[in-house]
Amino acid sequence: MNTAGHSSATAPRGLELTPFRGLRYDPDRVGSLAAVTSPPYDVVVRPDGLHHLQSADPYNIVRLILPEAGTPAERNAQAAETLRRWRAEGVLIPDPEPGLYVYEQRDGDGLVQRGVIGALRVSGPEERLVLPHEDVMSHIVADRADLMRATSANLEPLLLTYRGDDGTAVGTAALIERTAERPALLATTTEDGVHHRLWSVTDPADLAVIGGELSAHQALIADGHHRWATYRRLRAEHPSPGPWDHGLVLLVDTARYPLRVRAIHRLLHGLPVPEAVRALDGSFRVRRLDVPLPQAMDALAEAAAQGNAFLLTGADDAFHLVDRPDPALLDRTVPGDRPAAWRTLDATVLHATLLDHVWRVPDDPAHIAYIHDTAATVDKARRDGGTAVLMHAVHEDVVRDLARQGVTMPRKSTSFGPKPASGLVLRALDL
């Protein structure tokens, strides 16, 4: 029985996290749990990262979240068939009873992040329960919706955050701490050095504690805007109540476990760096930096503390620090009907002023790639001859404050992490 598909139509206002029967890899059927995991679909640098993950293990989760075939329809059909086959062969097996899952990530730098994975009731924007902070691209929502329809599954959790009332070890926080002292359902260390552990929570009293506390909170989408928009689209398409009323999420209390916020960089395919610099024509200050990447990023951080700043690099192997925009240019190009915190965002100035007005680069996949990894962005720009635009990260408080005002940032403005690894627990809608 799919517990997540039978909530009442009069469900209480608030976040409603429902137990589900997780679908997980049988460790005896795969090379290692680490070898079948992947970063979220939109973090995989294709094709390099995709092929690397495919070769790690024949059962790697990328064969479901990023299937390869000639057409979108063939890709989705292939993912559905692969999922069906892996379940029939016992590669993926359901847990015996519904539960929520405590999930821990720990790295070598002392970061520990813990949260709860469950099936969250999909709410509409009018409820103000799940707050987006970025816009989405309709073609990606359509692509993810087609994949979810074909597989009838939530293949990877999106990342939501909420703020616990006072951060003390009570209720859900204490339950998570106690659970983390028990033997884990699974433990693995991925090649990035992050150690992952997962526990199941099935006791009705424990589930009631989590449900009661979350019902008083709203959440911020940290990672997974397109998947949340996909959940909303699919819920609207299917009868309610039913399994499409819920979507797979990881909820993290950032009062106890602050996330890291990193920038997402841009790669402009058809614009060489010399042309990009010439087009600025005095509208920004430009300084050439013949230094290694870490020092260039330090210079970007220093400049960003004073105002809008970007770092350009490409085939010439140098970095070009771009800052101090002409205020008159910003007045002409940045929309004035938003809060000042939005108008002064680097991502706002990049898209409204540089991409739209100065460089005239359309925001579509043929012209712009969004890449999370800094070194990978630089390498691809140097190989391909385009322009890498390296960004400085936005503080989480700015993101949350804008989201509460109902103001979305330009898409791909932030990268919250650590992100949940894909492949540790899946949600099949027929369970």
Side-chain angles (χ1 to χ4, degrees), residues 137-160:
M137 292 175 266
S138 59
H139 72 280
I140 296 180
V141 175
D143 174 73
R144 290 293 101 183
D146 288 342
L147 179 64
M148 285 190 206
R149 283 190 210 95
T151 57
S152 195
N154 301 150
L155 300 171
E156 46 184 346
L158 53 85
L159 175 60
L160 304 182

Side-chain angles (χ1 to χ4, degrees), residues 78-244:
Q78 177 178 293
E81 172 56 23
T82 300
L83 178 59
R84 185 205 61 77
R85 188 175 70 252
W86 289 359
R87 291 180 66 179
E89 295 172 355
V91 174
L92 288 168
I93 53 177
D95 282 329
E97 57 182 320
L100 299 176
Y101 295 83
V102 170
Y103 175 46
E104 176 191 88
Q105 293 159 282
R106 185 186 296 267
D107 69 11
D109 296 327
L111 180 139
V112 178
Q113 178 175 289
R114 292 176 180 147
V116 180
I117 296 175
L120 184 71
R121 179 176 68 88
V122 179
S123 54
E126 71 284 351
E127 294 186 66
R128 304 283 298 150
L129 291 177
V130 176
L131 305 178
H133 70 267
E134 291 181 355
D135 296 328
V136 297
M137 292 175 266
S138 59
H139 72 280
I140 296 180
V141 175
D143 174 73
R144 290 293 101 183
D146 288 342
L147 179 64
M148 285 190 206
R149 283 190 210 95
T151 57
S152 195
N154 301 150
L155 300 171
E156 46 184 346
L158 53 85
L159 175 60
L160 304 182
T161 71
Y162 68 101
R163 300 286 293 180
D165 293 332
D166 55 12
T168 56
V170 297
T172 300
L175 189 155
I176 289 173
E177 301 300 318
R178 289 197 309 272
T179 302
E181 295 174 359
R182 303 191 334 234
L185 278 180
L186 65 84
T188 191
T189 302
T190 45
E191 65 178 7
D192 57 3
V194 177
H195 188 62
H196 307 261
R197 293 196 294 170
L198 191 76
W199 298 263
S200 179
V201 177
T202 58
D203 181 83
D206 290 340
L207 297 175
V209 167
I210 296 173
E213 289 195 2
L214 288 179
S215 67
H217 289 283
Q218 62 182 184
L220 174 74
I221 302 176
D223 185 68
H225 283 80
H226 290 92
R227 281 167 284 165
W228 181 255
T230 300
Y231 290 166
R232 288 183 47 223
R233 175 180 292 192
L234 293 172
R235 184 201 63 171
E237 292 176 1
H238 291 84
S240 182
W244 297 99

Side-chain angles (χ1 to χ4, degrees), residues 182-398:
R182 303 191 334 234
L185 278 180
L186 65 84
T188 191
T189 302
T190 45
E191 65 178 7
D192 57 3
V194 177
H195 188 62
H196 307 261
R197 293 196 294 170
L198 191 76
W199 298 263
S200 179
V201 177
T202 58
D203 181 83
D206 290 340
L207 297 175
V209 167
I210 296 173
E213 289 195 2
L214 288 179
S215 67
H217 289 283
Q218 62 182 184
L220 174 74
I221 302 176
D223 185 68
H225 283 80
H226 290 92
R227 281 167 284 165
W228 181 255
T230 300
Y231 290 166
R232 288 183 47 223
R233 175 180 292 192
L234 293 172
R235 184 201 63 171
E237 292 176 1
H238 291 84
S240 182
W244 297 99
D245 288 349
H246 293 73
L248 187 64
V249 306
L250 165 65
L251 269 164
V252 174
D253 176 3
T254 53
R256 291 189 61 80
Y257 301 106
L259 270 64
R260 291 173 174 163
V261 188
R262 293 190 170 98
I264 301 176
H265 309 296
R266 276 68 167 160
L267 178 60
L268 313 182
H269 298 305
L271 183 68
V273 169
E275 186 178 329
V277 170
R278 277 196 305 272
L280 295 172
D281 192 27
S283 59
F284 286 73
R285 182 175 69 167
V286 182
R287 288 174 286 165
R288 180 184 171 106
L289 306 177
D290 291 298
V291 297
L293 175 59
Q295 290 174 241
M297 293 302 291
D298 288 343
L300 174 62
E302 184 177 337
Q306 307 301 317
N308 300 120
F310 312 93
L311 200 60
L312 311 184
T313 191
D316 63 356
D317 288 347
F319 294 97
H320 304 266
L321 184 60
V322 175
D323 65 354
R324 297 189 183 178
D326 176 6
L329 174 64
L330 298 184
D331 287 343
R332 289 198 311 273
T333 56
V334 175
D337 59 348
R338 306 285 182 90
W342 180 90
R343 296 197 307 272
T344 55
L345 288 170
D346 286 340
T348 298
V349 172
L350 172 63
H351 284 261
T353 303
L354 287 171
L355 293 177
D356 291 353
H357 180 80
V358 175
W359 292 330
R360 301 190 183 280
V361 175
D363 188 4
D364 62 55
H367 295 87
I368 302 178
Y370 293 85
I371 305 177
H372 293 71
D373 184 83
T374 307
T377 311
V378 172
D379 289 344
K380 288 181 77 64
R382 289 179 177 170
R383 284 202 312 265
D384 302 343
T387 292
V389 183
L390 305 182
M391 311 279 287
H392 185 66
V394 182
H395 196 276
E396 180 189 354
D397 289 344
V398 174

